[in-house]
Amino acid sequence: MASNLLPKKPPPPTIKMKPAAEQTLVLIKPDGIERGLVGEIIGRFEKVGLQLIAAKLVNVSPDLAYRHYDAGEEWFQNVGKKVQQFYREHGLDKGEAFAKMEPREIGKLVQKWNVDYLTAGPVLAMVWRGPHAIGIVRKIVGPTYPDQAPPGTIRGDFAHESVLDANSQQRSVHNLIHASDSPASAKLEIELWFHRKEII
Ligand code: GDP
């Protein structure tokens, strides 16, 4: 049979997989502002192609800080257990005060440490946008404890704080920056910090 008589094959479907753009909340905490790291931090997000769509300097009220660090029961339990165990392992719990507390109570104490940290000076609140923005920003920021954050990350390059310093002084780990950790928390946090009309 002549090839031109064969039924024509339909063309393969063209798959257009453009990842949906995400939005994420970033806060440069008071130590980041005080150390003059704003330009450096913004530059890192711009260089990977993320887009800044909202920004403002905020003197954070305790109410806003408490609501920001109200990450739910699971977070209170987990951070409480982590700090309790750290105190036991490092012999920091002289009067056994932490050993006698419920993990949730210790979690609430860490929330108070975080509120004190976030209200200690101005904070730069921003919304960044782009495909996979939430994960990419977390990768650039680095892990929670700066002494364990690899070089190349913001926390690894600009802070040397250890969890031992912070826990033994009963305060938050000073790690310069906050970034939303999931689509659900990004949505809640952006709504908490910004009015719709402030986002370009
Ligand atoms: P992040 O998302 O990396 O900021 O970490 P988390 O959401 O788990 O914790 C919120 C903040 O609580 C951190 O950025 C730290 O400032 C503080 N924090 C977390 N874990 C500890 C801890 O084990 N000890 C102390 N002192 N502070 C902590």
Side-chain angles (χ1 to χ4, degrees):
M1 198 193 296
S3 64
N4 60 358
L5 293 178
L6 286 170
K8 272 198 174 157
K9 268 197 195 160
T14 51
I15 303 169
K16 289 185 183 157
M17 290 276 287
K18 199 172 173 216
E22 291 178 343
Q23 296 184 5
T24 188
L25 181 89
V26 173
L27 305 175
I28 303 184
K29 297 179 181 178
D31 51 338
I33 305 281
E34 197 180 335
R35 296 215 6 234
L37 293 172
V38 168
E40 177 70 43
I41 290 172
I42 287 182
R44 290 192 175 205
F45 297 136
E46 284 183 328
K47 276 184 198 129
V48 292
L50 295 170
Q51 204 183 5
L52 181 63
I53 58 168
K56 61 182 175 188
L57 262 183
V58 186
N59 274 318
V60 183
S61 66
D63 177 61
L64 176 57
Y66 267 108
R67 287 197 283 150
H68 176 78
Y69 281 117
D70 194 0
E73 279 310 308
E74 202 182 329
W75 189 86
F76 290 127
Q77 290 283 348
N78 289 343
V79 80
K81 274 185 207 151
K82 193 173 64 167
V83 171
Q84 194 174 45
Q85 192 178 350
F86 191 94
Y87 265 70
R88 191 173 52 240
E89 284 173 7
H90 290 78
L92 294 175
D93 203 6
K94 300 290 180 233
E96 298 265 299
F98 278 67
K100 289 176 198 146
M101 285 165 78
E102 289 296 323
R104 184 181 187 279
E105 257 184 287
I106 302 173
K108 284 280 180 184
L109 193 63
V110 178
Q111 181 192 35
K112 164 80 171 65
W113 297 348
N114 284 339
V115 169
D116 290 344
Y117 178 24
L118 211 60
T119 56
V123 162
L124 183 65
M126 299 175 279
V127 181
W128 287 88
R129 179 181 184 277
H132 313 294
I134 297 165
I136 288 171
V137 166
R138 293 280 297 184
K139 189 179 68 171
I140 294 170
V141 165
T144 305
Y145 304 150
D147 64 329
Q148 293 170 19
T153 63
I154 291 169
R155 287 168 169 170
D157 282 352
F158 300 112
H160 55 265
E161 168 100 323
S162 75
V163 66
L164 179 62
D165 303 331
N167 281 351
S168 52
Q169 293 169 34
Q170 302 217 359
R171 59 165 178 76
S172 287
V173 175
H174 287 181
N175 51 15
L176 303 169
I177 185 163
H178 164 84
S180 308
D181 64 1
S182 66
S185 65
K187 183 174 182 301
L188 283 175
E189 291 174 359
I190 291 169
E191 284 171 6
L192 180 65
W193 286 82
F194 286 93
H195 296 294
R196 231 172 223 271
K197 60 179 185 315
E198 292 176 310
I199 299 172
I200 308 298

